[in-house]
């Protein structure tokens, strides 16, 4: 997270095992695609990468080196598989997230610095897709084509359009939303109000990005580089997202053995990922038990002492 004052202005989550953009891999060409486009490369672990620009005339089965340009995106659409391009670079990793961002990693902090800075509020925004601000709220929805942000509230239309555009830009940055983004603002009826709303986005959202003007119906499209899933997209994998969020919270409980009580989907995933609960047990210095409770919401997990 990047914090300015008391506000988290950027947040990013990188899942274990993710192959980040910029990683250079050796593999083979699994499929040549059609018309010189959409070839498929396969790395040593069997993961497939789409090569939208093709593989430069290589034949199927040939060895090749490729650079990851976008991580895998959660979802069932084939186009959401990781993207890459062929390269002459030598195979290389990108380092940890903290190293890439020039920040510092808090491996086992004595206090919950993330929680104290409002991390749990950001996680709540990602899971619910709702961002509240003075006078209104944003509702964020992920579709196969784009991320949509609807602005609603009780301020006068022109005022709400500007405030909503400003808060939408902040949410885009905070929740790490990339790709094509549609923002539905209130219809203002005046060109000057639409221009002020567009200017609010320009002021809040750092480059690089492109945008359209706000049209007469209050819609504006923003396009940002997309090299990884947003926090909202990560939250779509509900059981895994909530399991990680639960473990993070419980890691700062008083030491000792714990029983984790959670929705059955969360408990089932934790049972499969035994290494996660073992790591928590080492951090807390006590055994970890699991109990499913179907009456709990998927985000309602908690811990009791044994």
């Amino acid at each position: 997270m990047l914090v300015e004052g008391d506000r988290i202005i950027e947040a990013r989550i990188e899942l274990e095992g993710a192959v980040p953009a910029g990683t250079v891999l050796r593999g083979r060409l699994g499929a040549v695609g059609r018309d010189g486009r959409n070839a498929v490369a396969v790395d040593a672990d069997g993961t497939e990468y789409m090569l939208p620009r093709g593989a430069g005339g290589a034949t199927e089965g040939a060895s090749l080196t490729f650079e990851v340009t976008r991580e895998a995106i959660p979802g069932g659409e084939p186009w959401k598989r990781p993207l890459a391009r062929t390269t002459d670079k030598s195979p290389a990793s990108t380092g940890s997230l903290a190293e890439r961002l020039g920040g510092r990693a808090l491996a086992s902090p004595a206090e919950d610095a993330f929680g104290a800075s409002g991390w749990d509020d950001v996680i709540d925004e990602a899971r619910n897709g709702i961002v509240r601000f003075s006078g209104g709220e944003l509702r964020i929805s992920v579709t196969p084509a784009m991320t949509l942000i609807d602005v609603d509230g009780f301020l006068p239309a022109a005022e709400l359009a500007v405030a909503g555009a400003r808060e939408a830009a902040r949410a885009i940055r905070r929740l790490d939303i990339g790709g094509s983004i549609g923002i539905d603002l209130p219809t203002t009826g005046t060109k000057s109000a639409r221009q002020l709303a567009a200017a609010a986005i320009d002021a809040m959202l750092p480059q690089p990005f492109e945008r359209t003007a706000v049209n007469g119906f209050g819609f504006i499209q923003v396009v940002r580089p997309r090299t990884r899933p947003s926090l909202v997209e990560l939250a779509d994998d509900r059981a895994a997202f909530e399991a990680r969020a639960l473990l993070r919270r419980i890691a700062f409980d008083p030491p000792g053995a714990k029983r984790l009580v959670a929705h059955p989907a969360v408990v089932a995933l934790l049972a499969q990922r035994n290494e996660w609960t073992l790591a928590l047990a080492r951090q807390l210095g006590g055994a970890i038990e699991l109990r499913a409770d179907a009456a709990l919401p998927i985000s309602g997990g908690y811990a009791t002492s044994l």
Side-chain angles (χ1 to χ4, degrees), residues 34-54:
R34 297 184 62 182
D35 301 324
R37 296 181 58 81
N38 295 333
V40 177
V42 184
D43 70 10
D45 295 327
T47 302
E48 295 184 345
Y49 295 79
M50 181 73 75
L51 306 176
R53 300 178 184 176

Side-chain angles (χ1 to χ4, degrees), residues 72-99:
I73 304 292
E77 294 82 12
W79 59 268
K80 286 187 175 180
R81 75 176 70 184
L83 301 183
R85 61 189 172 207
T86 58
T87 182
D88 294 329
K89 298 177 183 177
S90 299
S93 65
T94 60
S96 69
L97 180 61
E99 290 169 343

